[in-house]
């Protein structure tokens, strides 16, 4: 009976462990959707002819997410160069994009510690609802270990920010009707996009 209970506990904890991978995967897929929309904007912004768009896709291929974000910001700023209010919103939203790109890099390239439901971890009351990702970062004083802790609330916050960024960008770049969708973008929306996700800790390494 005790063995069966232990197996059921491990099965339940395994579902929690697997959920970390699910959330990480969902974030990466959503982020790539954003970058794809940005790339398509670049192509359509510079050319309306199908053949020229093919050339532009060739140019965009292999560009980093940061480069794509920066170029889209430049083109939108050029489009609205005489509107200070829109330029401010563009700047703030694309700063949020650059920040979430940094978080994406932290998540994708970091070392993850996601606990597995083995006897040792269960015996030591490991909190399976939390996972940690770490990086070693060079600083002016040497190197330090930077760690972020994620749980379901942090994952959801990260996804909500990313989805808001994507929605606001689509409002900014929409020029297919006579409506000015820019007016639907509020400062509070952009402020929400710039809230950091994950609890960050840093430790100097001697």
């Amino acid at each position: 009976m005790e063995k069966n209970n232990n197996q059921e506990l491990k099965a339940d904890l395994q579902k929690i462990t697997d959920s970390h991978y699910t959330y990480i995967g969902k974030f990466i897929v959503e982020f790539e959707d954003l970058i794809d929309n940005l790339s398509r904007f670049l192509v359509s912004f510079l050319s309306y002819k199908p053949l020229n768009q093919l050339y532009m896709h060739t140019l965009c291929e292999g560009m980093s997410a940061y480069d794509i974000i920066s170029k889209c910001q430049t083109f939108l700023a050029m489009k609205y160069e005489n509107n200070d209010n829109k330029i401010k919103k563009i700047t703030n939203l694309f700063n949020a994009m650059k920040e979430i790109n940094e978080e994406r890099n932290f998540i994708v390239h970091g070392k993850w510690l996601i606990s597995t439901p083995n006897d040792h971890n269960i015996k030591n009351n490991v909190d399976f609802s939390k996972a940690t990702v770490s990086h070693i970062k060079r600083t002016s004083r040497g190197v330090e270990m930077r760690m972020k802790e994620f749980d379901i609330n942090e994952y959801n916050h990260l996804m909500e920010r990313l989805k808001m960024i994507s929605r606001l960008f689509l409002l900014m770049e929409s020029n297919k009707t006579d409506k000015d969708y820019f007016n639907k973008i509020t400062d509070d929306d952009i402020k929400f996009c710039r809230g950091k996700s994950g609890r960050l800790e840093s430790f100097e390494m001697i």
Side-chain angles (χ1 to χ4, degrees):
M1 185 66 177
E2 183 178 345
K3 184 177 180 180
N4 289 337
N5 289 339
N6 189 47
Q7 289 177 340
E8 289 179 4
L9 175 60
K10 285 185 177 181
D12 290 340
L13 293 174
Q14 186 64 51
K15 291 178 182 178
I16 297 174
T17 295
D18 291 344
S19 71
H20 290 289
Y21 295 99
T22 300
Y23 283 114
I24 294 167
K26 284 182 177 179
F27 170 73
I28 292 171
V29 169
E30 189 79 20
F31 182 86
E32 291 305 320
D33 282 345
L34 169 63
I35 298 304
D36 182 65
N37 283 333
L38 292 170
S39 297
R40 292 175 186 277
F41 165 74
L42 283 178
V43 171
S44 63
F45 186 89
L46 294 175
S47 176
Y48 290 101
K49 296 181 179 179
L51 182 60
N52 289 345
Q53 288 189 6
L54 182 61
Y55 294 151
M56 284 306 306
H57 277 298
T58 302
L59 287 176
C60 289
E61 174 62 27
M63 287 171 56
S64 69
Y66 181 88
D67 289 338
I68 291 173
I69 291 169
S70 297
K71 284 179 171 51
C72 284
Q73 179 180 359
T74 300
F75 289 142
L76 273 177
M78 292 168 63
K79 181 178 179 180
Y80 297 108
E81 61 181 343
N82 296 320
N83 190 315
D84 290 342
N85 182 51
K86 290 182 177 180
I87 291 293
K88 179 181 177 181
K89 289 182 177 180
I90 290 169
T91 300
N92 289 335
L93 181 62
F94 277 82
N95 283 341
M97 284 189 197
K98 291 170 185 175
E99 289 167 357
I100 208 161
N101 180 50
E102 290 177 3
E103 292 182 71
R104 177 262 181 198
N105 291 339
F106 200 101
I107 287 170
V108 171
H109 300 296
K111 169 63 177 175
W112 279 91
L113 177 59
I114 300 176
S115 300
T116 55
N118 54 43
D119 292 335
H120 173 79
N121 287 336
I122 293 173
K123 182 178 179 180
N124 287 277
N125 296 317
V126 169
D127 187 350
F128 294 91
S129 68
K130 297 178 181 178
T132 303
V133 57
S134 62
H135 275 269
I136 295 177
K137 178 77 173 179
R138 289 195 302 271
T139 69
S140 60
R141 301 178 63 178
V143 292
E144 67 179 17
M145 174 73 76
R146 295 184 177 179
M147 303 176 67
K148 279 191 174 184
E149 184 180 78
F150 283 89
D151 58 20
I152 186 171
N153 292 325
E154 296 296 339
Y155 290 130
N156 286 335
H157 182 238
L158 185 66
M159 286 297 297
E160 287 169 3
R161 287 172 52 219
L162 181 55
K163 288 180 178 179
M164 177 67 83
I165 288 172
S166 296
R167 187 178 74 83
L168 297 184
F169 170 70
L170 292 177
L171 289 175
M172 277 188 179
E173 66 91 21
S174 178
N175 57 4
K176 304 203 170 21
T177 69
D178 294 331
K179 295 181 180 179
D180 185 0
Y181 288 104
F182 238 105
N183 291 331
K184 294 181 177 291
I185 301 172
T186 68
D187 291 337
D188 285 340
D189 288 338
I190 297 177
K191 184 178 180 181
F192 174 79
C193 294
R194 302 195 67 179
K196 297 287 187 179
S197 298
R199 292 176 288 279
L200 178 66
E201 295 185 38
S202 299
F203 308 92
E204 288 189 10
M205 301 178 66
I206 300 174

